[in-house]
Amino acid sequence: MQKIQIEGGAPLNGDVQISGAKNAVLPILCATLLADEPVEISNVPHLHDVVTTAKLLAGLGAELTIDQGTIGKGSESGIVVDPRSVNSHVAPYELVKTMRASVLVLGPLLAKYGAAEVSLPGGCAIGSRPVDLHIKGMQALGAEISVDHGFIKARADRLKGNRVVFDMVSVGATENVLMAAALAQGTSVLENAAMEPEIVDLADCLNAMGAQIEGAGSNRIVVHGVERLHGAKHAVVADRIETGTFLVAGAMTGGRITARRTRPETLDAVLEKLMQAGAQIEVEGDRITLDMKGNRPKAVNITTAPHPAFPTDMQAQFMALNCIAEGVGVINETIFENRFMHVQELLRLGADIRVEGHTAIVRGVEQLSGAPVMATDLRASASLILAGLVADGETLIDRIYHLDRGYENIEEKLSGLGARIKRVG
């Protein structure tokens, strides 16, 4: 099994190009099922989850043309999905079990074909994340749904617009209901909707396909259902979590990094915390430059919460920063119940962390020391890489398949900034 080997201690300097967002491209690929013409998606990151989604769409009968020639090479990469050949409405367990986002075909299949059978999802181990909000949303639009033998089975002659109130903020449920409502008869109002930039990107893509969606990015989204959606071209938004991860790498190593082709306005909470940690931040167009001027970061307190607050997907990375920062940082995780699994691995590197329920108290140490560690989920993988970059000696990270689900060519990009990192095994 492949591992990542890091020799710590090198400050990072230079430019890094940010890829398209994992959390935006997956729902957008699912949304192509709603169209009755080909849809061209560009700025597609080459990630394992994208490959899984492509397999899922192909399994439903869609024709995909993947521009493999440029994927991951820093130039425009893309996928064209032609949904006209779709001949199945069943998303099997074999594909869904490896990736929770597979449940996002439920809304498009139901809205377009009047039926969907989607296996209950598997995916990463950071919490239960039930699909009941997705099911309730579809029922509010008039679907008949049963859950048996591990499948969500949904039917509807045509979905009807309605008011959908989410019991709690859920990105996935907001996306699924948004896609379903696009082809529903009449107007739907989504209340307590998630406000993440990836939802805005999904709505932008749907509107390019002919949908009529207003209010994406606020907690109240209005969808005027249309009879059909046509083909379109859409470029996936830059990945704010990848951007944040590289900026934290620069902050931890005392370096100077410029993230190019990113979207600074999607990162307000993260940039604020980096400035509190002592970083000098400059924003110019689609570039963010972080300069630590060789200084050690200061510890920061963090509470994760739905957008526009601090993202849970950046919590592990900032925990790594606090491990070597000056002072004590308190991290409150309010989104996922199992999202401190990286703590045990960071302790192996010499970190000083005490966990009390959903709170971690991190006392910064002068120096971490390299050791063999194991990744437990996608963002935990990133935190271990960050810690390895500043640890004394060699850090060897096992189970890095998590990493390939959400970071495109991370070791190549870090090497380009001066890190001593390589894939082995």
Side-chain angles (χ1 to χ4, degrees), residues 291-308:
D291 194 347
M292 284 302 284
K293 300 190 183 300
N295 295 322
R296 182 182 175 192
K298 299 181 181 68
V300 291
N301 297 331
I302 280 161
T303 298
T304 65
H307 193 79

Side-chain angles (χ1 to χ4, degrees), residues 56-130:
L56 178 57
L57 296 178
L60 296 170
E63 281 190 21
L64 278 73
T65 308
I66 299 175
D67 185 357
Q68 288 282 21
T70 56
I71 282 184
K73 298 292 186 286
S75 54
E76 282 293 291
S77 50
I79 296 179
V80 178
V81 183
D82 188 344
R84 290 174 294 187
S85 51
V86 167
N87 54 16
S88 169
H89 56 259
V90 179
Y93 176 67
E94 291 69 46
L95 290 174
V96 179
K97 72 177 179 183
T98 63
M99 188 185 67
R100 293 194 54 88
S102 305
V103 78
L104 293 175
V105 297
L106 177 65
L109 288 173
L110 185 58
K112 180 82 180 292
Y113 302 100
E117 289 187 29
V118 180
S119 174
L120 288 167
C124 50
I126 57 171
S128 56
R129 300 201 277 186

